[in-house]
Amino acid sequence: MKYLSPHSAEKIHCSHGLRGNPALDAPASRTAERFSLHSHAQRGNDVPIGDDCAAIADADGYLLLACEGYLNHFVASQPWFAGYCGVMVNVSDIYAMGGRPIAVVDAIWSDGEHQAKPILEGMATAAQVYGVPVVGGHSNLRNDRPQLSVAILGKAQKLLSSFAAKPRQQLLAAIDLRGHFREPYLWWDASTGAPPERLRQDLEVLPTLAETGLCASAKDISNAGVIGTLLMLLECSGLGGVIDINAIPRPADIDLARWLRCFPSYGFVLSVDEINSEAVIELFSRRDIGCAAIGKTDDSGRLRLKAGAEEQLLWDLNSEALIGCGPNRQD
């Protein structure tokens, strides 16, 4: 239940609800209502719903399920990259939960084979790059336009979760700065053209953090950007916090306002006990991933932004929910 836009890079999901400027996303809220997400956990399952993946308790860990759907214009205008993103973004969701991907399935509709070919080629490239097989799906070559959705299955021994952050932890941002904008869009591409083995090993940092106990709470940076993604994490955990926007890792030649709005191909936010913060940063640094402490959590339910000596309130979750998946929402 995610949707990716080629223009403002919008994701609409129970865990991805920002559209440009912070605003409550009505479609996400209505989806939550229809699927009875107004309880901290789904009936019969003690794993909270509303994270980067659905997590289903298994005998020796968790099965992870995620799905991405793409807007028609994006698929029509950039078919190869849409196919590539179908795998790449799903893979990121699995790793954001502390898991490793197993396999991908897709649903593709198009007006003939000529429209489907570049989409499938993009998917095939990403599947090879990330080492995740496409094992099946559904196709229809008699549609009036190209359409694409992709789903993924993964497995985790221990979870990283948006619901596991605690007060008085440090907020970290880890972003691969070795990329470029896919102009004119707000996509920071550090994936296409990069060495596949390096990309896979870079992602292995996330399950390592989960399995060593260095971190329990993380989220991949969605099209809501660094700040919007952190706001979602804080809401899910029933917290507030402060973010120093000047501490967020970014390339030296990139404008801060644009950087805060971008969707990076490799980007994660984490909430980490202060005693473990240095070790977590070191693990990312060994992979040449930019990582820094950018703020702290608290129990206020209010997210503030800091720049120098100035601090301003961005969102008060006590008075207005953002995505409707946190423990403090009104049922």
Side-chain angles (χ1 to χ4, degrees):
M1 295 184 291
K2 294 186 182 179
Y3 306 87
L4 182 62
S5 162
H7 294 297
S8 59
E10 302 158 354
K11 269 189 180 178
I12 303 170
H13 185 259
C14 213
S15 62
H16 297 292
L18 279 181
R19 295 184 170 211
N21 294 325
L24 181 62
D25 193 277
S29 178
R30 289 196 297 269
T31 300
E33 291 174 5
R34 288 199 180 98
F35 287 96
S36 301
L37 301 187
H38 288 299
S39 61
H40 190 64
Q42 188 182 30
R43 294 184 183 91
N45 190 348
D46 59 359
V47 179
I49 293 177
D51 225 319
D52 288 304
C53 300
I56 303 169
D58 198 23
D60 56 349
Y62 299 87
L63 291 174
L64 302 176
L65 289 170
C67 181
E68 299 284 346
Y70 297 87
L71 292 183
N72 296 337
H73 178 76
F74 176 41
V75 182
S77 64
Q78 300 210 30
W80 184 92
F81 190 56
Y84 190 93
C85 285
V87 175
M88 178 188 72
V89 178
N90 271 304
V91 165
S92 181
D93 281 339
I94 294 292
Y95 279 102
M97 295 285 293
R100 295 177 177 89
I102 295 172
V104 164
V105 295
D106 69 282
I108 181 171
W109 292 49
S110 67
D111 183 9
E113 186 177 350
H114 67 287
Q115 277 191 344
K117 183 179 178 181
I119 302 171
L120 294 171
E121 288 176 344
M123 287 187 60
T125 298
Q128 184 176 22
V129 166
Y130 288 102
V132 185
V134 180
V135 297
H138 172 82
S139 62
N140 182 338
L141 302 181
R142 297 184 178 182
N143 199 39
D144 62 347
R145 71 196 73 183
Q147 295 176 297
L148 176 67
S149 65
V150 182
I152 192 167
L153 173 69
K155 187 83 182 273
Q157 295 180 26
K158 294 185 178 180
L159 289 179
L160 299 174
S161 173
S162 302
F163 293 85
K166 298 177 181 179
R168 294 173 294 281
Q169 289 184 325
Q170 286 198 331
L171 294 170
L172 274 56
I175 307 171
D176 190 347
L177 306 181
R178 299 163 294 186
H180 61 278
F181 278 112
R182 293 185 71 95
E183 301 291 357
Y185 306 113
L186 293 173
W187 304 326
W188 181 256
D189 182 2
S191 178
T192 60
E197 180 63 22
R198 192 197 82 197
L199 292 174
R200 294 193 290 268
Q201 290 302 311
D202 289 347
L203 288 165
E204 276 293 316
V205 175
L206 281 304
T208 297
L209 292 176
E211 292 161 12
T212 59
L214 286 173
C215 178
S217 183
K219 199 169 194 64
D220 76 325
I221 297 173
S222 76
N223 296 335
V226 177
I227 294 171
T229 302
L230 274 170
L231 180 56
M232 295 182 229
L233 184 152
L234 293 173
E235 181 179 358
C236 287
S237 289
L239 299 175
V242 60
I243 299 171
D244 182 351
I245 61 173
N246 292 319
I248 296 171
R250 66 181 168 109
D253 58 342
I254 300 298
D255 176 70
L256 176 61
R258 192 179 195 205
W259 186 247
L260 294 179
R261 296 166 58 213
C262 83
F263 170 35
S265 60
Y266 184 108
F268 300 90
V269 292
L270 309 96
S271 187
V272 180
D273 288 335
E274 189 168 353
I275 193 172
N276 294 329
S277 181
E278 187 174 328
V280 172
I281 292 172
E282 173 63 19
L283 282 175
F284 283 107
S285 297
R286 290 178 192 171
R287 303 298 312 167
D288 292 325
I289 302 295
C291 184
I294 64 170
K296 291 187 176 181
T297 63
D298 57 40
D299 58 5
S300 69
R302 295 156 53 92
L303 177 60
R304 291 95 64 205
L305 301 184
K306 179 180 178 182
E310 184 179 0
E311 183 176 304
Q312 292 187 354
L313 176 67
L314 175 70
W315 196 282
D316 187 348
L317 291 164
N318 301 300
S319 59
E320 185 177 14
L322 176 69
I323 55 177
C325 294
N328 296 333
R329 61 185 174 272
Q330 296 294 319
D331 291 338

